[in-house]
Amino acid sequence: MSATMTPADAPTAPATAPGRGRGRWLRRSARPGAAALSGVLLFLSFPPRPLWWLALPGFALLGWTLRGRRPRAGFGLGYLAGLGFLMPLLVWTGAEVGPVPWLALVAAEGLFVAATCLGVAAVSRLPAWPVFAAAVWILGEAARARVPFGGFPWGKIAFGQADGVFLPLAAVGGTPVLGFAVALCGFGLYEAARVAAARRATGALPRGPLAAAALSVSVPVTAALAALPLVSDTAQDGTATVAAIQGNVPRLGLDFNAQRRAVLDNHARRTAQLAADVRAGKAARPDFVLWPENSSDLDPYRNDDARRVIDEAVRAIGAPTVVGAVLTPETGPLRNTLIQWDPGRGPVATYDKRHVQPFGEYIPMRSFVRIFNKDVDRVSRDFGPGDKVGVFDLAGTRVGLVTCYEAAFDWAVRDTVTHGARLISVPSNNATFGRSEMTYQQLAMSRVRAVEHSRSVVVPVTSGVSAIIRPDGTIVDRSALFTPDALVAEVPLRSSLTPATRLGTLPEAALLALAAAGLGWTAVAAVRSRRASR
């Protein structure tokens, strides 16, 4: 007997066709994926990759992600962008202490990016929105550079532009103006693409958005070209022959501090070798010599052996030498100090690092942080900050001193120039971070600072990369990682002040006012809209 199929037995079609469900999922995940990708593009624009231009499509994609979104959505999408940007950029922070500090830092700093993107989404409905959006981005960077614990400016968009066409703008208004130009051009590229798509769809050409897009792209490029005359490496006050010593460390990692005598001996030995090369005519005689941060973690004021080693090296080279030392007073905090050491008189001047690094040189909230990572106890005694600007007179050349982490802070570098520095030195110790990208990111900062203040910059590093940079940001000479070396070069000395140096924080303040105006305009429009709907 043949069976008959009743309606109840018949197979039912799925409520949603597989293809339709997949398409809905792709649409829902498009913006979150684009947000994360925009952050990755921003990361890829940073050294050691010479891909500075990737910041432009990064901001364009971020503009597509955020434009027209509600602020709450902007915050969530911005957090994804922040993770895509900062997680790979700051991976070096966990090089020797594990992933917890790295991920905690990324999670905290990502909140600043999220809040920034909330603001970008809020102003994205305004006329000429790319201008306000770029200003809001600088507002976010300004906040991140100041709080908490004195701020963390690492990852400012300007620091990825050492090889870019916008670099001359650093001399106009410092890192805020340079970063604003990059963000504005990127957002402008998206607006141009949006206008083009609207014309294809409707046949109409909206003049207002078209003008905003054209100006957002053309003005930053034109301004950068106009600023080129500010970038010069012509000597104004003669030249100086400078030597940067890279002694190297016996092994990588946090325990380099346990190798203090070996590190000191390495730098003394490399200085003595340079002295022999000078006598043999193989190297030019330096006017002064720069050792890196932590080149003597033995306090030469309390350790006669360390004092003798340094004094012998300085006498051998016969030139004033800046030595990076850790001073250990009987009471009170430690001091990360640069000592001016004269070949005839010994130590004659000191500079104490003014911005000591939280969770590296001192531990805020020590008992709380210890719950998550016991490596905090490696810093058994906190460092304290100095309170005086560091400018040494080395053989007639006034040299500004910016110790390692301080190079990320606009005020720390500018102070040395306004106090008369004709050349800037950035002694650093990057041995803790191994062969990570950290040293290249920091070197790019010094290149931007060179253009910002029109000064030669010398970067002596314990383990590399050490470099000598001309005022136009070009590198004269550089060392390899974890290789003893002595870089010697003649560099121009300059005394003129760029607009960025003269204006200080005024360009940043103007951009913050612009961001506040855009956010205020948005808030007023939202209130009026709600009243009208009622």
Side-chain angles (χ1 to χ4, degrees):
M1 183 176 64
S2 62
T4 59
M5 183 177 290
T6 65
D9 297 324
T12 58
T16 303
R20 187 179 304 171
R22 191 180 303 114
R24 184 179 297 122
W25 180 86
L26 288 173
R27 286 193 297 273
R28 288 178 177 175
S29 60
R31 288 188 187 273
L37 179 58
S38 69
V40 172
L41 290 175
L42 293 181
F43 157 67
L44 292 174
S45 72
F46 276 70
R49 292 159 296 277
L51 303 176
W52 59 270
W53 51 270
L54 281 178
L56 301 181
F59 277 111
L61 188 58
L62 188 63
W64 176 81
T65 304
L66 297 174
R67 189 179 186 281
R69 300 295 97 188
R70 294 180 179 275
R72 184 186 303 175
F75 185 89
L77 293 168
Y79 198 67
L80 291 175
L83 294 181
F85 175 35
L86 297 174
M87 189 170 289
L89 185 79
L90 303 179
V91 67
W92 50 268
T93 59
E96 294 296 332
V97 294
V100 174
W102 161 49
L103 294 176
L105 177 63
V106 169
E109 295 297 314
L111 292 173
F112 285 91
V113 180
T116 300
C117 291
L118 181 154
V120 171
V123 302
S124 66
R125 298 178 186 273
L126 297 178
W129 72 269
V131 177
F132 294 108
V136 168
W137 184 269
I138 300 306
L139 172 62
E141 288 192 341
R144 195 159 63 86
R146 289 169 172 82
V147 292
F149 311 120
F152 187 72
W154 216 279
K156 274 189 170 186
I157 291 302
F159 294 146
Q161 297 297 306
D163 291 304
V165 298
F166 299 102
L167 181 60
L169 291 173
V172 175
T175 59
V177 168
L178 175 53
F180 173 77
V182 176
L184 176 59
C185 193
F187 288 136
L189 287 175
Y190 164 64
E191 183 68 353
R194 191 182 71 85
V195 170
R199 181 177 185 181
R200 286 195 299 270
T202 65
L205 187 63
R207 293 183 178 179
L210 177 63
L215 291 174
S216 297
V217 174
S218 62
V219 168
V221 175
T222 303
L225 294 175
L228 276 173
L230 296 175
V231 181
S232 173
D233 65 350
T234 303
Q236 296 174 324
D237 302 279
T239 62
T241 300
V242 59
I245 301 298
Q246 178 175 305
N248 201 17
V249 300
R251 60 183 182 274
L252 313 188
L254 288 173
D255 289 330
F256 77 90
N257 281 320
Q259 313 163 44
R260 293 177 294 176
R261 178 54 193 268
V263 173
L264 172 58
D265 286 344
N266 284 353
H267 286 83
R269 186 181 303 113
R270 192 62 189 85
T271 303
Q273 182 181 336
L274 174 61
D277 290 342
V278 170
R279 290 192 297 270
K282 298 178 181 179
R285 179 174 297 278
D287 296 314
F288 52 89
V289 179
L290 302 171
W291 284 16
E293 176 191 34
N294 297 126
S295 47
S296 175
D297 280 342
L298 294 171
D299 185 343
Y301 293 102
R302 295 168 59 89
N303 188 302
D304 291 337
D305 191 39
R307 185 185 184 101
R308 186 182 68 255
V309 169
I310 296 171
D311 202 55
E312 288 177 355
V314 175
R315 287 176 180 273
I317 194 63
T321 301
V322 177
V323 177
V326 173
L327 302 191
T328 56
E330 289 283 358
T331 60
L334 302 174
R335 298 288 174 176
N336 188 338
T337 301
L338 300 175
I339 305 173
Q340 178 181 345
W341 206 289
D342 188 85
R345 295 180 295 162
V348 296
T350 60
Y351 165 66
D352 294 334
K353 186 176 182 180
R354 291 185 293 160
H355 199 310
V356 292
Q357 182 181 352
F359 305 103
E361 292 172 304
Y362 78 99
I363 307 296
M365 307 179 300
R366 183 182 290 268
S367 58
F368 174 75
V369 174
R370 188 183 291 114
I371 297 173
F372 302 97
N373 195 305
K374 289 184 172 52
D375 280 319
V376 297
D377 292 325
R378 289 176 180 263
V379 184
S380 58
R381 185 176 174 186
D382 287 342
F383 282 79
D387 57 4
K388 294 182 179 179
V389 179
V391 179
F392 289 167
D393 188 326
L394 302 177
T397 298
R398 292 182 62 79
V399 177
L401 305 167
V402 183
T403 306
C404 196
Y405 183 61
E406 292 180 319
F409 294 86
D410 295 345
W411 58 266
V413 185
R414 178 177 179 268
D415 280 354
T416 68
V417 180
T418 58
H419 280 71
R422 302 292 186 261
L423 177 146
I424 299 170
S425 174
V426 186
S428 305
N429 174 28
N430 299 339
T432 301
F433 307 109
R435 299 183 180 276
S436 69
E437 295 184 357
M438 180 272 185
T439 191
Y440 302 103
Q441 294 170 10
Q442 191 178 59
L443 178 59
M445 291 180 193
S446 295
R447 294 180 62 194
V448 172
R449 299 303 186 193
V451 173
E452 181 179 9
H453 299 293
S454 193
R455 294 293 187 271
S456 298
V457 178
V458 182
V459 186
V461 186
T462 50
S463 55
V465 172
S466 301
I468 298 177
I469 305 165
R470 295 179 71 87
D472 61 359
T474 58
I475 296 177
V476 177
D477 197 5
R478 63 189 291 175
S479 68
L481 280 172
F482 297 100
T483 304
D485 207 344
L487 308 180
V488 182
E490 184 180 12
V491 295
L493 303 176
R494 293 178 60 84
S495 56
S496 63
L497 302 182
T498 64
T501 309
R502 293 179 184 277
L503 294 172
T505 59
L506 289 179
E508 183 181 52
L511 292 173
L512 301 192
L514 180 61
L519 294 171
W521 186 356
T522 299
V524 170
V527 170
R528 288 177 176 174
S529 177
R530 282 197 295 271
R531 287 177 178 174
S533 65
R534 290 171 184 169

